[in-house]
Amino acid sequence: MTHCHRLLFRIPLLLLLVLLGSVGALAAVEQNPSPQPRNRLAIVIGNSNYQSTRLEHLPNAANDATRLSESLKRLNFEVLTGTDLSTEGFAKLLRDADAELPTASAVLIFYAGHGVQLHGENYLLPVDTPDPESLEKLTASAIKLNDVIARFARRDRQTFIFLDACRNNPLGPGAGAGDGLAQVDVGENTFIAFATQPGNVTADGGGENSPFTVALLKNLEIPGLSVSDMMIRVRNETEALTVGRQVPWDQSNLREQFYFTEQQALDPAQLSASLSRILADPIAKKRLQVELASNDLQTAVLVVGQTLRSVEIPAPSAGLPAPVGTQVANLSPTESVEDARQSVVSGLETLIVGASAGEAEKGKAGDLARSIQTELRRLGCYRMQVDGDWGTGSIRALTDYYKNTKQVASTTEPTVGLLGDLFLRSGRICKQPVIVKAKPAKVASEAGPSQTSSGRKAAKRSQAAPQRPAAPPPDIGAGIGIGGVF
C-alpha cells in the first residue's frame, strides 16, 4: 500500500474517532446536567434538656425549633433541624450544613437554648455542658458565636442569625460572665437578630413557644415583607407580649434587602376580596386603619385578613345600601385583574383618601402620597424617607416601577388608581432601587475684596475642618426600629 493510500485510509478513521469523541462528550454533558438553582439553607437548633442541674430546663426551646422548621420549609428553605444537641451533635449538624453551602444563596441560623457572654464573647451551650463551676469548664465544650458567623458569612451570600439565647449568667455575679448576650462583630453581608437588648435576659414563655419565636412565627410568612420590616413587627410584638421587659435588637450590614416570601405571587382577586371583606366589617376596618399606621397597605390587609378567615360576613340587606366605596367579597379567581383593580380602587377612595368617589382626589393628598411611597418601598422601588412629600425622589421611584413592570406612565402624580395598582403587586419589582444623589456642594472661589466678614469666617471654618469621605447611602436592610442598631 502506497503512502498516499495509507493517508486516505487514515482520514475516515480519524473522522470516525472525532465523531465518537463528540458523542462521548455529548453523553458526558447529558450525564452532568447544569447546576440546580441556588437554594436557601436553614440551620435550626433548639436545646431544652440540659444535663447540668445548674442550667435550667427550657421546655420551649425544642418547640421553637420544630415550629420554625415547619414554617421555613413552607418558605422553600432546605432545613436542617437539631434538638437537644450535644457538643458532638452540634459539630455534626454544622458539618452537614457545610456540605449544602456550595449551592446556597442564603443561610439562616436559628438557635434557642442557653447562651452566655464571657468577657464580651458569646457562647452557645450544648446540652452536655458540664456544671458551670469555672469559666474554663463552661467554655470547654461551648460553641463560640463568632466562629459560627465566620464559618457561614460570606460577601456574596446573605446570612441571617436569630438568637433566642439570652439567659441568666450561670456562674453568678463577679465571675467574668454577664447576663444576656453581648453585641458582636457582624460578618460580611450578615443580619443578626437578638431576642432582647444587650445584657438583658429573655423569657422562655408560659405557652408552647417563647415570646420572641411567637412574634417571629406570626410575621415570617407574610408575603412581600422584607426582613428589616419583619423585625420591626417582631420587635413591637415581643415587647407587647413581655410588657416591655424584652425588646429585640438587630445588627446588619446586608448589601440588599431580603424577602422570605419574595417568590410568592399573590392572587389579585383574592387580595381584592380580602380588602372588601375587611371594609364590610366595621371592627376589621378599624383594625386595618390602626395597622396602616405602621405597615404598608398590602401587609396590613394580609394581617387583618388572617383574623377573618373563619368569619362569614353576611351580604348587605336588600333594603340597605352598601357603605360608599365598599363591596362584599364576591370575586372569583377567574375574574380579571382589571376587575380586581376597580374593586380595590372603590374601597381605597374611602379608606385612604377619606372622601366619596367624586371627591377622591381632594383633601388628603399627603396621606395618599405617603401610602404610595410605602407601597413603592415594599416593592423595592423607593429608599427615601416615607414623608408624604411627593418630590423628585418619589417621581423617579415611580418611573422605575413603570419601567420594571413594562407599563406606560399615565401620570407621575399620586392617585387612588395608582395605589390600587401597587397594592395588587407582590414580590420585589425593582432590583436596583432608585437613590436620589445629593447635589454637589458649590466650591467657593478664592476670597476677593468683596468677601464679607461672615464669608471669611465660614471659609476659615471650612479650611479647619478635616476632610472626610462622603458617607455611603443608608442600607435599608439595617432593620432600624424602636430598639435601634448597636
Side-chain angles (χ1 to χ4, degrees):
M1 183 180 294
T2 65
H3 175 75
C4 182
H5 285 93
R6 286 197 301 268
L7 182 59
L8 291 175
F9 176 76
R10 288 175 181 173
I11 291 176
L13 180 61
L14 290 173
L15 291 176
L16 179 61
L17 290 174
V18 171
L19 178 61
L20 290 175
S22 300
V23 172
L26 180 60
V29 171
E30 291 175 345
Q31 291 173 2
N32 297 281
S34 58
Q36 295 298 314
R38 292 166 65 83
N39 68 315
R40 307 194 293 180
L41 174 66
I43 306 162
V44 183
I45 302 169
N47 283 351
S48 291
N49 299 304
Y50 283 84
Q51 298 171 12
S52 171
T53 57
R54 301 206 19 208
L55 294 171
E56 65 175 314
H57 179 62
L58 303 173
N60 284 343
N63 295 338
D64 293 345
T66 301
R67 286 283 309 280
L68 188 67
S69 294
E70 295 169 353
S71 179
L72 291 170
K73 288 176 182 176
R74 289 193 293 269
L75 295 172
N76 297 321
F77 276 80
E78 182 72 26
V79 182
L80 301 177
T81 306
T83 56
D84 293 335
L85 294 182
S86 63
T87 304
E88 177 54 34
F90 245 111
K92 182 181 183 305
L93 186 66
L94 295 181
R95 286 196 302 268
D96 292 343
D98 285 338
E100 302 291 337
L101 284 180
T103 60
S105 60
V107 176
L108 182 147
I109 301 171
F110 173 87
Y111 174 78
H114 279 292
V116 296
Q117 61 159 307
L118 306 175
H119 301 301
E121 188 82 58
N122 295 315
Y123 294 86
L124 312 180
L125 304 185
V127 294
D128 59 349
T129 299
D131 289 339
E133 298 171 351
S134 66
L135 289 176
E136 294 75 16
K137 200 169 183 180
L138 183 63
T139 59
S141 59
I143 309 301
K144 189 182 293 186
L145 178 59
N146 280 345
D147 289 346
V148 175
I149 296 173
R151 185 170 185 165
F152 292 100
R154 277 178 42 180
R155 183 183 180 90
D156 60 349
R157 178 180 60 227
Q158 291 177 303
T159 302
F160 304 89
I161 300 176
F162 293 85
L163 298 169
D164 197 352
C166 311
R167 309 295 176 177
N168 286 318
N169 168 18
L171 292 172
D179 286 337
L181 296 181
Q183 58 181 314
V184 300
D185 293 329
V186 180
E188 286 275 3
N189 206 4
T190 302
F191 179 98
I192 303 179
F194 299 85
T196 191
Q197 58 267 48
N200 194 27
V201 297
T202 64
D204 193 49
E208 294 183 355
N209 298 102
S210 74
F212 176 70
T213 302
V214 167
L216 190 60
L217 290 169
K218 183 177 178 181
N219 294 283
L220 192 67
E221 297 185 57
I222 295 179
L225 195 62
S226 68
V227 64
S228 55
D229 287 341
M230 182 199 72
M231 272 307 302
I232 291 175
R233 294 181 57 83
V234 169
R235 182 178 296 118
N236 291 334
E237 292 179 17
T238 303
E239 185 180 28
L241 289 170
T242 60
V243 198
R245 291 174 297 178
Q246 192 173 319
V247 183
W249 283 61
D250 53 75
Q251 297 176 253
S252 173
N253 68 359
L254 291 180
R255 298 182 177 278
E256 63 177 334
Q257 197 53 273
F258 181 85
Y259 297 81
F260 286 96
T261 59
E262 181 178 2
Q263 303 303 322
Q264 181 174 346
L266 302 179
D267 186 345
Q270 293 180 354
L271 278 173
S272 172
S274 182
L275 176 61
S276 296
R277 293 187 69 192
I278 292 170
L279 296 178
D281 184 331
I283 297 177
K285 180 180 177 180
K286 186 174 181 180
R287 186 182 172 191
L288 176 61
Q289 292 170 332
V290 172
E291 288 286 341
L292 286 174
S294 58
N295 290 298
D296 58 82
L297 176 62
Q298 188 183 99
T299 300
V301 168
L302 291 169
V303 170
V304 177
Q306 291 176 347
T307 65
L308 299 177
R309 287 176 178 174
S310 59
V311 179
E312 291 295 333
I313 300 178
S317 170
L320 296 175
V324 176
T326 69
Q327 66 183 66
V328 177
N330 56 5
L331 286 175
S332 68
T334 58
E335 292 190 77
S336 69
V337 174
E338 182 58 28
D339 291 334
R341 195 186 74 82
Q342 291 297 332
S343 176
V344 166
V345 170
S346 177
L348 294 181
E349 286 174 344
T350 54
L351 178 69
I352 303 298
V353 184
S356 64
E359 302 172 344
E361 304 302 327
K362 299 179 182 179
K364 298 189 177 180
D367 290 343
L368 180 59
R370 186 177 295 107
S371 296
I372 291 176
Q373 289 173 339
T374 306
E375 293 301 302
L376 286 170
R377 183 178 185 272
R378 173 180 62 81
L379 298 171
C381 303
Y382 185 74
R383 295 186 71 174
M384 300 180 68
Q385 181 180 358
V386 176
D387 55 9
D389 183 8
W390 194 259
T392 303
S394 301
I395 294 174
R396 291 187 62 183
L398 179 59
T399 302
D400 194 38
Y401 165 75
Y402 282 136
K403 176 183 176 182
N404 282 277
T405 54
K406 296 180 173 57
Q407 295 187 76
V408 177
S410 56
T411 179
T412 57
E413 295 300 315
T415 66
V416 178
L418 171 60
L419 179 59
D421 182 53
L422 296 170
F423 167 73
L424 294 175
R425 301 278 180 172
S426 58
R428 188 178 179 189
I429 299 298
C430 301
K431 300 300 181 181
Q432 299 292 333
V434 173
I435 302 176
V436 178
K437 297 182 180 179
K439 294 181 179 179
K442 294 182 179 180
V443 179
S445 59
E446 295 183 3
S450 62
Q451 185 181 31
T452 63
S453 60
S454 60
R456 286 192 296 270
K457 291 179 181 178
K460 290 180 180 179
R461 286 196 301 268
S462 176
Q463 292 172 359
Q467 296 296 320
R468 297 181 180 179
D475 181 4
I476 61 173
I480 298 177
I482 60 172
V485 173
F486 60 90

